[in-house]
Amino acid sequence: MPVRDSSRRRFLGGIAAGTALAASGVGHAGKAVARPTPPIGASPDELARDEAFWREVGAFYDRTKGVLNLEHGYWGKMARPVQDAYLDALRMVNAQNSFYARKDYAADEAESVHRIARALGAHDDEVVITRNATEACHNVIRQYRGLGKGDAVLIADIDYPHFKSHMHWLGDGRGVRVVEIEIPTRANQVDIRKLYQKAFESNPDLKLMLITHVSNQHGLVVPVAEVAAEARGRGIDVVCDAAQSWGLLDYKVADLGVDWVAFNLHKWIGAPVGTGALYMRRGSLGKVAPYPGDGGTEDMNVAKRVHPGTYNFAARLAIPAALDFHESIGTANKEARLRYLRSLWTDEAQHMPHLEVLGGKDEESWTGIGSFRLAGQTTIEEATKLQQRLETEFGIFSVVRKGLASGGCVRITPQVFNSADEIGRLVDALRDLAKSAISA
Ligand SMILES: Cc1ncc(COP(=O)(O)O)c(C=O)c1O
């Protein structure tokens, strides 16, 4: 099949070359690709403070115009080499159309799956690409088989709001009780473990729990492995939301110690929007039914847990380029830099009496993401007003988060291309908020 082979190899030969030769800077479609090169010998913490290196990283990104954008928790901007790979893939898919998609795409997607699995430390047959973490997590929750009348499921206020509502929907539909625990606005690993432990002891009917690795509310890190081990000992199944943590924290999927994990690639991995992944550990598929109508009920293929229909082929083809770029910076370096940028504002803000800072009590429990509110102003309306003031008076873009038991807050999420000086601008703005907070 010479035509078929050449159409695919022209494109994919490049992807494969990029994958194999990332270190030498040869990338997609055989083009030379520049990528950041961290200085040899610098520890992540030392590198986190090296503004010159992060300026070099920042030069790979196009910046938001007209505002200082500190809302990068929504999705992660593609670096330019990733965007180029994506656009090349888009052009190829559009030109080759069904001839490519029907004949050769599956083999190319397998390469993207392989790269995801490798980066997570998983087997290829434990991973299926999804459009986002929502698709991955909702499917596990909906297709979970282990619930009956009289059982209970567990969520926490810091979980992603739509995942909590999906658990409530599951509860309503199956006559299952939903238990929701509240995590304090500042917490550490011990606090969180104790709260889950108490919930397990008080609710012996628990069968399934949702656990969030990094909360979208304020970047709190949950000790997933410890809590999941305790849950497993009590016969409770665990689905983990790692939508916000992959690429933000340096870990492998085995470190989470759970059977089912929902990931995003379009946040901190920097792949095109429309890319996520579902991990299901080997041997764990029996408790989650195939997508309704897909496969026999005993089908043990992870791909059968998702039915995306027709999707964005090009976005998935660009996943290896995104992982190449991400890995060229290094996850540990990225984690340390983002933590540092967050500490630059939270270290100041937590001593400002007009503010309440939300998130980790210590570094182990925190990430690059943090949140705050004006002291005592917990309504969504007050948080919305605060977000708008930051934008209109100080030119800083952020986002309101709803869902915490303690009320609304404003989330600040820097990216690798933000500088320490930009965070300094935020600190000045936070200080200035005191004037109007006092006069209000
Ligand atoms: C913790 C967390 N879970 C789940 C999601 C949902 O991600 P997506 O909309 O990409 O599916 C998000 C998105 O911000 C999130 O932060």
Side-chain angles (χ1 to χ4, degrees):
M1 302 287 286
V3 177
R4 169 186 164 187
D5 281 348
S6 67
S7 72
R8 175 165 158 245
R9 284 212 186 108
R10 247 199 326 270
F11 181 73
L12 260 203
I15 287 267
T19 302
L21 300 174
S24 68
V26 177
H28 171 68
K31 291 177 190 165
V33 175
R35 296 197 188 98
T37 316
I40 293 163
S43 73
D45 283 340
E46 284 162 0
L47 196 61
R49 288 157 174 77
D50 181 347
E51 290 303 311
F53 172 69
W54 293 101
R55 256 196 312 279
E56 188 195 311
V57 172
F60 285 91
Y61 293 87
D62 295 316
R63 300 293 302 270
T64 307
K65 293 189 176 67
V67 79
L68 171 53
N69 190 351
L70 294 179
E71 167 25 9
H72 295 290
Y74 195 171
W75 78 85
K77 183 175 288 190
M78 283 179 272
R80 231 173 281 112
V82 183
Q83 183 177 274
D84 289 346
Y86 177 43
L87 293 177
D88 283 350
L90 192 63
R91 275 188 281 269
M92 184 280 288
V93 170
N94 195 50
Q96 293 303 99
N97 194 259
S98 51
F99 185 58
Y100 165 73
R102 294 210 183 278
K103 287 169 175 279
D104 297 317
Y105 172 73
D108 294 347
E109 183 176 295
E111 173 61 19
S112 292
V113 168
H114 175 66
R115 288 296 308 275
I116 294 169
R118 200 172 83 190
L120 287 171
H123 301 285
D124 291 12
D125 61 8
E126 294 177 316
V127 171
V128 57
I129 300 177
T130 60
R131 286 169 291 197
N132 45 47
T134 299
E135 184 173 46
C137 195
H138 278 187
N139 283 23
V140 171
I141 292 172
R142 269 200 318 272
Q143 289 152 226
Y144 179 68
R145 286 169 152 152
L147 289 174
K149 230 180 172 56
D151 291 335
V153 294
L154 180 65
I155 56 178
D157 70 323
I158 61 161
D159 292 334
Y160 190 65
H162 298 291
F163 295 179
K164 286 194 278 184
S165 50
H166 218 62
M167 290 289 262
H168 277 286
W169 167 87
L170 185 75
D172 293 347
R174 298 199 203 168
V176 164
R177 204 164 59 86
V178 180
V179 178
E180 178 165 346
I181 59 168
E182 287 178 21
I183 311 277
T185 52
R186 299 293 294 271
N188 63 24
Q189 305 293 281
V190 176
D191 300 332
I192 302 170
R193 272 202 298 269
K194 277 188 186 156
L195 284 163
Y196 276 105
Q197 177 79 23
K198 197 165 152 230
F200 296 152
E201 282 162 7
S202 314
N203 300 282
D205 48 352
L206 283 172
K207 286 286 172 337
L208 175 69
M209 70 178 288
L210 170 67
I211 192 164
T212 305
H213 191 198
V214 169
S215 173
N216 78 305
Q217 299 286 339
H218 43 25
L220 186 77
V221 182
V222 172
V224 172
E226 291 83 350
V227 174
E230 181 68 30
R232 205 171 23 256
R234 294 166 183 268
I236 304 166
D237 287 315
V238 183
V239 54
C240 177
D241 170 5
Q244 199 64 260
S245 71
W246 193 30
L248 180 66
L249 297 181
D250 188 21
Y251 67 94
K252 298 287 184 196
V253 71
D255 300 334
L256 298 176
V258 295
D259 287 347
W260 310 316
V261 190
F263 291 104
N264 262 331
L265 284 110
H266 58 209
K267 289 194 192 287
W268 298 100
I269 297 297
V273 170
T275 52
L278 169 62
Y279 163 85
M280 299 183 81
R281 195 182 54 75
R282 278 181 180 171
S284 75
L285 273 71
K287 286 185 176 173
V288 178
Y291 188 89
D294 281 11
T297 52
E298 297 316 312
D299 195 318
M300 291 303 141
N301 181 350
V302 63
K304 286 286 168 60
R305 268 66 196 163
V306 179
H307 188 116
T310 309
Y311 43 77
N312 186 342
F313 304 106
R316 295 178 178 204
L317 292 172
I319 287 171
L323 285 165
D324 285 342
F325 190 85
H326 173 75
E327 287 163 4
S328 73
I329 299 175
T331 315
N333 293 333
K334 205 160 156 178
E335 174 182 338
R337 171 64 173 179
L338 294 169
R339 280 180 189 278
Y340 170 65
L341 291 179
R342 192 224 69 240
S343 72
L344 288 180
W345 75 266
T346 56
D347 284 358
E348 299 285 335
Q350 59 196 356
H351 299 299
M352 298 181 192
H354 62 291
L355 300 184
E356 181 188 5
V357 175
L358 290 77
K361 251 191 207 167
D362 55 22
E363 271 310 313
E364 198 187 353
S365 313
W366 222 344
T367 53
I369 304 171
S371 291
F372 76 102
R373 56 169 72 113
L374 288 172
Q377 300 201 7
T378 57
T379 67
I380 301 303
E381 292 69 32
E382 286 165 331
T384 304
K385 216 166 126 197
L386 178 58
Q387 184 278 325
Q388 286 166 356
R389 286 196 54 203
L390 269 186
E391 187 177 336
T392 54
E393 292 176 32
F394 303 98
I396 295 173
F397 189 66
S398 58
V399 68
V400 173
R401 293 293 79 189
K402 313 164 186 176
L404 291 178
S406 69
C409 57
V410 169
R411 184 179 74 187
I412 300 292
T413 314
Q415 248 282 16
V416 289
F417 42 77
N418 286 118
S419 65
D421 284 350
E422 287 174 330
I423 304 301
R425 260 183 69 189
L426 171 69
V427 172
D428 290 344
L430 295 180
R431 219 173 266 123
D432 282 355
L433 285 170
K435 296 173 195 157
S436 44
I438 291 160
S439 61

